[in-house]
Amino acid sequence: MESFLQTLIAGVLLGGLYALIGIGMTLIMGVMKIINLAHGELMMVGMYIAFWMFTLFGIDPYLSVFIASPILFFLGILIQRFLINPVLKVDSILPENQVILTVGIGMVLANLATIFFKSDYRATPVSYGTSAWYLSDYWESAPFDLSLSVPWTVSFVIAVAITIALWFFLSKTDSGKSIRATAQDLDAALLMGVNVKLMRVVTFGLGSALVGAAGCLFIPIYYLFPSMGGQFTLIAFVITILGGLGSTNGAIFGGLILGIFESMTATYVGMGWAPVGRFLIFVAALIFLPGGMASLLKKKRIGK
Protein backbone atom coordinates (compact mmCIF):
# COMPACT_ATOMS: atom_id res chain seq x y z
CA MET A 1 0.00 0.00 0.00
CA GLU A 2 2.83 2.37 0.85
CA SER A 3 4.46 1.72 -2.53
CA PHE A 4 1.16 2.39 -4.29
CA LEU A 5 0.63 5.71 -2.48
CA GLN A 6 4.21 6.78 -3.14
CA THR A 7 3.79 5.98 -6.83
CA LEU A 8 0.47 7.82 -6.93
CA ILE A 9 2.03 10.93 -5.39
CA ALA A 10 4.90 10.81 -7.88
CA GLY A 11 2.38 10.48 -10.71
CA VAL A 12 0.37 13.49 -9.52
CA LEU A 13 3.52 15.64 -9.26
CA LEU A 14 4.59 14.59 -12.76
CA GLY A 15 1.07 15.06 -14.09
CA GLY A 16 0.94 18.64 -12.82
CA LEU A 17 3.99 19.51 -14.90
CA TYR A 18 2.65 17.59 -17.89
CA ALA A 19 -0.60 19.55 -17.63
CA LEU A 20 1.27 22.86 -17.89
CA ILE A 21 2.99 21.63 -21.07
CA GLY A 22 -0.29 20.39 -22.51
CA ILE A 23 -2.21 23.59 -21.75
CA GLY A 24 0.17 25.60 -23.93
CA MET A 25 -0.41 23.35 -26.95
CA THR A 26 -4.14 23.16 -26.25
CA LEU A 27 -4.49 26.96 -26.22
CA ILE A 28 -2.78 27.23 -29.59
CA MET A 29 -4.87 24.38 -30.96
CA GLY A 30 -8.12 25.92 -29.71
CA VAL A 31 -7.54 29.36 -31.20
CA MET A 32 -5.47 28.68 -34.32
CA LYS A 33 -6.76 25.16 -35.11
CA ILE A 34 -3.25 23.83 -35.69
CA ILE A 35 -1.01 21.46 -33.75
CA ASN A 36 2.25 23.19 -32.85
CA LEU A 37 4.82 20.45 -33.38
CA ALA A 38 7.63 22.80 -32.31
CA HIS A 39 6.18 22.89 -28.80
CA GLY A 40 8.86 20.70 -27.23
CA GLU A 41 11.65 22.65 -28.90
CA LEU A 42 10.27 25.88 -27.42
CA MET A 43 10.38 24.17 -24.04
CA MET A 44 13.99 23.23 -24.75
CA VAL A 45 14.77 26.92 -25.41
CA GLY A 46 13.24 27.80 -22.05
CA MET A 47 15.39 25.15 -20.36
CA TYR A 48 18.56 26.51 -21.97
CA ILE A 49 17.67 30.01 -20.77
CA ALA A 50 17.24 28.69 -17.22
CA PHE A 51 20.47 26.68 -17.50
CA TRP A 52 22.58 29.62 -18.60
CA MET A 53 21.01 31.96 -16.06
CA PHE A 54 22.04 29.46 -13.38
CA THR A 55 25.50 28.78 -14.85
CA LEU A 56 26.50 32.37 -15.60
CA PHE A 57 24.70 34.36 -12.92
CA GLY A 58 23.72 31.81 -10.28
CA ILE A 59 20.00 32.54 -10.73
CA ASP A 60 17.82 29.75 -9.39
CA PRO A 61 15.94 27.92 -12.20
CA TYR A 62 12.62 28.67 -10.53
CA LEU A 63 13.35 32.40 -10.64
CA SER A 64 14.23 32.00 -14.30
CA VAL A 65 10.52 31.53 -14.97
CA PHE A 66 10.26 35.33 -14.83
CA ILE A 67 13.01 35.60 -17.45
CA ALA A 68 12.28 32.70 -19.79
CA SER A 69 8.52 33.19 -20.01
CA PRO A 70 8.65 36.78 -21.37
CA ILE A 71 11.42 35.79 -23.80
CA LEU A 72 9.41 32.81 -25.06
CA PHE A 73 6.29 34.98 -25.24
CA PHE A 74 7.97 37.39 -27.65
CA LEU A 75 9.65 34.53 -29.53
CA GLY A 76 6.21 32.94 -29.99
CA ILE A 77 4.80 36.25 -31.24
CA LEU A 78 7.61 36.54 -33.81
CA ILE A 79 7.11 32.96 -34.98
CA GLN A 80 3.37 33.40 -35.38
CA ARG A 81 3.55 36.87 -36.91
CA PHE A 82 6.32 36.32 -39.45
CA LEU A 83 6.28 32.58 -40.13
CA ILE A 84 2.93 30.94 -39.38
CA ASN A 85 0.57 33.80 -40.21
CA PRO A 86 1.80 34.23 -43.81
CA VAL A 87 1.33 30.48 -44.40
CA LEU A 88 -2.22 30.61 -43.01
CA LYS A 89 -3.10 33.23 -45.63
CA VAL A 90 -1.95 31.12 -48.58
CA ASP A 91 -4.42 28.86 -50.37
CA SER A 92 -2.68 25.55 -50.82
CA ILE A 93 -3.47 22.07 -52.05
CA LEU A 94 -2.00 20.87 -48.77
CA PRO A 95 -3.87 22.64 -45.93
CA GLU A 96 -1.58 21.06 -43.34
CA ASN A 97 1.30 23.27 -44.50
CA GLN A 98 1.18 25.26 -41.27
CA VAL A 99 1.67 22.07 -39.25
CA ILE A 100 4.59 21.05 -41.45
CA LEU A 101 6.00 24.53 -40.90
CA THR A 102 6.02 24.01 -37.13
CA VAL A 103 7.95 20.76 -37.67
CA GLY A 104 10.53 22.77 -39.62
CA ILE A 105 10.68 25.42 -36.89
CA GLY A 106 11.31 22.71 -34.32
CA MET A 107 14.11 21.22 -36.43
CA VAL A 108 15.73 24.64 -36.83
CA LEU A 109 15.61 25.31 -33.08
CA ALA A 110 17.04 21.87 -32.26
CA ASN A 111 19.86 22.23 -34.77
CA LEU A 112 20.69 25.75 -33.63
CA ALA A 113 20.94 24.45 -30.06
CA THR A 114 23.27 21.69 -31.27
CA ILE A 115 25.48 24.19 -33.12
CA PHE A 116 25.73 26.66 -30.25
CA PHE A 117 25.67 24.33 -27.24
CA LYS A 118 26.84 20.97 -28.68
CA SER A 119 25.02 17.71 -27.94
CA ASP A 120 26.26 17.44 -24.35
CA TYR A 121 23.86 16.53 -21.58
CA ARG A 122 23.58 19.39 -19.12
CA ALA A 123 22.00 19.87 -15.71
CA THR A 124 21.65 22.48 -12.99
CA PRO A 125 23.22 21.06 -9.81
CA VAL A 126 21.01 22.96 -7.36
CA SER A 127 21.63 22.38 -3.67
CA TYR A 128 18.14 20.97 -3.07
CA GLY A 129 18.25 18.61 -6.08
CA THR A 130 18.32 15.44 -3.97
CA SER A 131 16.42 16.76 -0.94
CA ALA A 132 13.11 15.28 0.20
CA TRP A 133 10.37 15.88 2.75
CA TYR A 134 9.26 12.92 4.87
CA LEU A 135 5.76 12.61 6.24
CA SER A 136 7.08 11.10 9.47
CA ASP A 137 8.96 14.35 10.23
CA TYR A 138 5.62 16.17 10.52
CA TRP A 139 3.34 13.34 11.63
CA GLU A 140 5.01 10.90 13.98
CA SER A 141 2.07 8.47 14.03
CA ALA A 142 1.70 8.45 10.23
CA PRO A 143 0.67 4.98 9.01
CA PHE A 144 2.99 5.32 5.99
CA ASP A 145 6.44 6.85 5.76
CA LEU A 146 5.88 8.70 2.50
CA SER A 147 8.39 11.14 1.02
CA LEU A 148 8.14 14.07 -1.36
CA SER A 149 11.03 15.20 -3.54
CA VAL A 150 11.71 18.89 -2.88
CA PRO A 151 12.31 19.92 -6.53
CA TRP A 152 9.33 17.88 -7.78
CA THR A 153 7.08 19.39 -5.12
CA VAL A 154 8.23 22.97 -5.72
CA SER A 155 7.85 22.53 -9.49
CA PHE A 156 4.34 21.15 -9.00
CA VAL A 157 3.28 24.01 -6.72
CA ILE A 158 4.60 26.63 -9.16
CA ALA A 159 2.86 24.83 -12.06
CA VAL A 160 -0.43 24.93 -10.13
CA ALA A 161 0.07 28.65 -9.38
CA ILE A 162 0.72 29.36 -13.09
CA THR A 163 -2.37 27.36 -14.06
CA ILE A 164 -4.52 29.32 -11.59
CA ALA A 165 -3.12 32.59 -12.92
CA LEU A 166 -3.94 31.44 -16.46
CA TRP A 167 -7.50 30.55 -15.41
CA PHE A 168 -7.91 34.01 -13.89
CA PHE A 169 -6.56 35.64 -17.06
CA LEU A 170 -8.86 33.67 -19.37
CA SER A 171 -11.93 34.05 -17.16
CA LYS A 172 -11.69 37.56 -15.73
CA THR A 173 -9.87 39.75 -18.23
CA ASP A 174 -11.13 41.17 -21.52
CA SER A 175 -8.18 39.76 -23.44
CA GLY A 176 -8.74 36.33 -21.93
CA LYS A 177 -12.43 36.39 -22.78
CA SER A 178 -11.55 37.42 -26.34
CA ILE A 179 -9.19 34.45 -26.63
CA ARG A 180 -11.92 32.10 -25.38
CA ALA A 181 -14.44 33.62 -27.78
CA THR A 182 -12.04 33.17 -30.70
CA ALA A 183 -11.50 29.54 -29.75
CA GLN A 184 -15.22 28.80 -29.35
CA ASP A 185 -16.58 30.52 -32.48
CA LEU A 186 -14.37 32.50 -34.83
CA ASP A 187 -17.20 34.06 -36.83
CA ALA A 188 -19.15 35.10 -33.74
CA ALA A 189 -16.00 36.63 -32.25
CA LEU A 190 -15.49 38.67 -35.42
CA LEU A 191 -19.08 39.89 -35.28
CA MET A 192 -18.61 40.94 -31.66
CA GLY A 193 -15.63 43.10 -32.64
CA VAL A 194 -12.85 40.83 -31.39
CA ASN A 195 -9.50 41.41 -33.12
CA VAL A 196 -9.03 37.78 -34.11
CA LYS A 197 -5.62 38.34 -35.74
CA LEU A 198 -4.28 39.91 -32.56
CA MET A 199 -5.75 37.14 -30.42
CA ARG A 200 -4.00 34.52 -32.54
CA VAL A 201 -0.67 36.28 -32.09
CA VAL A 202 -1.18 36.68 -28.34
CA THR A 203 -2.31 33.07 -27.96
CA PHE A 204 0.75 31.65 -29.69
CA GLY A 205 2.94 33.85 -27.51
CA LEU A 206 1.04 32.76 -24.40
CA GLY A 207 1.33 29.08 -25.30
CA SER A 208 5.06 29.53 -25.87
CA ALA A 209 5.44 31.35 -22.54
CA LEU A 210 3.67 28.52 -20.71
CA VAL A 211 5.90 25.83 -22.17
CA GLY A 212 8.94 28.03 -21.49
CA ALA A 213 7.88 28.21 -17.84
CA ALA A 214 7.48 24.42 -17.85
CA GLY A 215 11.05 24.15 -19.10
CA CYS A 216 12.30 26.16 -16.12
CA LEU A 217 10.35 23.87 -13.78
CA PHE A 218 11.81 20.74 -15.41
CA ILE A 219 15.47 21.79 -15.52
CA PRO A 220 16.19 21.07 -11.79
CA ILE A 221 14.92 17.48 -12.23
CA TYR A 222 15.70 16.62 -15.84
CA TYR A 223 18.73 16.53 -18.12
CA LEU A 224 18.95 19.05 -20.94
CA PHE A 225 20.11 18.27 -24.48
CA PRO A 226 19.19 19.71 -27.91
CA SER A 227 17.13 16.79 -29.20
CA MET A 228 14.89 16.48 -26.14
CA GLY A 229 12.12 18.59 -27.67
CA GLY A 230 10.56 15.78 -29.69
CA GLN A 231 9.80 13.78 -26.55
CA PHE A 232 7.91 16.64 -24.92
CA THR A 233 6.12 17.55 -28.14
CA LEU A 234 4.78 14.00 -28.16
CA ILE A 235 3.75 14.28 -24.51
CA ALA A 236 1.94 17.57 -25.18
CA PHE A 237 0.22 16.04 -28.22
CA VAL A 238 -0.97 13.02 -26.22
CA ILE A 239 -2.31 15.32 -23.49
CA THR A 240 -4.08 17.48 -26.08
CA ILE A 241 -5.81 14.42 -27.57
CA LEU A 242 -6.53 12.89 -24.18
CA GLY A 243 -7.92 16.13 -22.79
CA GLY A 244 -9.91 17.07 -25.87
CA LEU A 245 -8.74 19.38 -28.65
CA GLY A 246 -8.80 22.98 -27.46
CA SER A 247 -9.98 22.26 -23.90
CA THR A 248 -7.77 23.72 -21.16
CA ASN A 249 -9.72 21.93 -18.42
CA GLY A 250 -9.36 18.70 -20.33
CA ALA A 251 -5.61 19.29 -20.67
CA ILE A 252 -5.29 19.53 -16.88
CA PHE A 253 -7.06 16.20 -16.39
CA GLY A 254 -5.19 14.70 -19.34
CA GLY A 255 -1.84 15.70 -17.88
CA LEU A 256 -2.69 14.22 -14.48
CA ILE A 257 -3.96 10.99 -16.02
CA LEU A 258 -0.86 10.61 -18.17
CA GLY A 259 1.49 11.38 -15.26
CA ILE A 260 -0.19 8.85 -12.96
CA PHE A 261 -0.36 6.22 -15.70
CA GLU A 262 3.35 6.62 -16.54
CA SER A 263 4.32 6.50 -12.86
CA MET A 264 2.29 3.33 -12.28
CA THR A 265 3.70 1.71 -15.41
CA ALA A 266 7.29 2.54 -14.43
CA THR A 267 6.81 1.14 -10.90
CA TYR A 268 4.83 -2.02 -11.56
CA VAL A 269 5.96 -2.94 -15.09
CA GLY A 270 9.36 -1.33 -15.60
CA MET A 271 11.01 2.02 -16.30
CA GLY A 272 11.47 1.22 -19.96
CA TRP A 273 7.74 0.61 -20.35
CA ALA A 274 6.68 4.13 -19.37
CA PRO A 275 6.84 5.46 -22.98
CA VAL A 276 4.93 2.37 -24.11
CA GLY A 277 2.25 3.16 -21.55
CA ARG A 278 2.08 6.66 -23.00
CA PHE A 279 1.30 5.26 -26.44
CA LEU A 280 -1.22 2.78 -25.03
CA ILE A 281 -3.24 5.47 -23.28
CA PHE A 282 -3.04 7.60 -26.44
CA VAL A 283 -4.46 4.80 -28.62
CA ALA A 284 -7.08 3.96 -25.98
CA ALA A 285 -8.23 7.60 -25.92
CA LEU A 286 -8.57 7.66 -29.70
CA ILE A 287 -10.63 4.46 -29.70
CA PHE A 288 -12.78 4.75 -26.61
CA LEU A 289 -12.81 8.49 -25.92
CA PRO A 290 -12.33 10.33 -29.25
CA GLY A 291 -13.66 13.57 -27.76
CA GLY A 292 -11.20 13.42 -24.88
CA MET A 293 -11.88 14.36 -21.28
CA ALA A 294 -13.64 17.49 -22.53
CA SER A 295 -16.51 15.37 -23.84
CA LEU A 296 -16.97 13.74 -20.43
CA LEU A 297 -16.88 17.11 -18.67
CA LYS A 298 -19.45 18.45 -21.15
CA LYS A 299 -21.77 15.48 -20.59
CA LYS A 300 -21.49 15.96 -16.84
CA ARG A 301 -22.52 19.61 -17.14
CA ILE A 302 -25.44 18.72 -19.39
CA GLY A 303 -26.52 16.02 -16.94
CA LYS A 304 -26.74 18.56 -14.18
Side-chain angles (χ1 to χ4, degrees):
M1 186 62 179
E2 182 174 332
S3 175
F4 174 80
L5 291 176
Q6 189 68 65
T7 303
L8 180 63
I9 291 172
V12 171
L13 296 179
L14 176 61
L17 298 181
Y18 277 178
L20 186 60
I21 298 172
I23 288 173
M25 179 177 280
T26 296
L27 272 176
I28 295 171
M29 174 62 199
V31 173
M32 301 184 62
K33 310 304 179 188
I34 66 170
I35 294 290
N36 176 25
L37 295 182
H39 204 64
E41 280 73 20
L42 290 171
M43 176 177 169
M44 176 266 297
V45 172
M47 293 181 74
Y48 268 111
I49 291 173
F51 171 79
W52 287 113
M53 289 296 102
F54 178 82
T55 302
L56 298 177
F57 307 108
I59 299 175
D60 190 276
Y62 295 126
L63 295 179
S64 295
V65 169
F66 299 101
I67 301 173
S69 293
I71 293 175
L72 266 295
F73 178 79
F74 288 108
L75 176 60
I77 286 177
L78 293 175
I79 290 173
Q80 201 284 334
R81 178 67 179 83
F82 296 105
L83 296 178
I84 296 178
N85 202 40
V87 174
L88 290 174
K89 295 178 180 178
V90 176
D91 292 329
S92 172
I93 299 175
L94 190 63
E96 294 82 9
N97 274 358
Q98 62 269 23
V99 179
I100 297 174
L101 174 63
T102 64
V103 175
I105 293 171
M107 294 173 65
V108 169
L109 291 175
N111 281 279
L112 285 176
T114 303
I115 292 171
F116 288 113
F117 309 126
K118 310 303 179 185
S119 298
D120 300 336
Y121 281 66
R122 302 173 187 268
T124 53
V126 291
S127 59
Y128 50 82
T130 57
S131 302
W133 290 313
Y134 293 91
L135 183 61
S136 59
D137 293 340
Y138 305 93
W139 184 14
E140 295 182 358
S141 59
F144 304 106
D145 190 18
L146 302 176
S147 63
L148 291 173
S149 167
V150 170
W152 276 105
T153 305
V154 174
S155 295
F156 175 81
V157 170
I158 296 176
V160 171
I162 293 174
T163 303
I164 293 173
L166 176 66
W167 171 85
F168 182 86
F169 170 75
L170 293 176
S171 302
K172 305 298 182 181
T173 66
D174 292 337
S175 297
K177 291 176 182 178
S178 297
I179 290 174
R180 291 169 57 201
T182 304
Q184 291 172 6
D185 193 323
L186 179 62
D187 294 331
L190 284 169
L191 292 173
M192 294 299 293
V194 174
N195 189 337
V196 171
K197 291 183 180 179
L198 177 61
M199 290 304 104
R200 284 178 170 175
V201 173
V202 171
T203 299
F204 201 94
L206 186 59
S208 301
L210 288 172
V211 79
C216 295
L217 301 184
F218 260 100
I219 189 65
I221 50 183
Y222 201 86
Y223 285 107
L224 169 62
F225 51 98
S227 61
M228 61 166 291
Q231 173 186 348
F232 286 97
T233 296
L234 176 61
I235 289 172
F237 183 65
V238 171
I239 293 171
T240 301
I241 298 299
L242 183 59
L245 297 178
S247 172
T248 53
N249 291 333
I252 294 172
F253 286 102
L256 291 173
I257 291 171
L258 182 61
I260 293 172
F261 192 84
E262 281 194 13
S263 182
M264 292 292 179
T265 302
T267 299
Y268 294 106
V269 181
M271 287 293 296
W273 287 90
V276 178
R278 188 183 306 152
F279 283 111
L280 288 176
I281 198 170
F282 174 65
V283 173
L286 289 176
I287 296 173
F288 300 107
L289 197 63
M293 292 298 299
S295 61
L296 292 181
L297 296 173
K298 185 176 180 180
K299 288 179 181 178
K300 187 176 180 181
R301 288 195 296 267
I302 294 174
K304 288 183 178 180

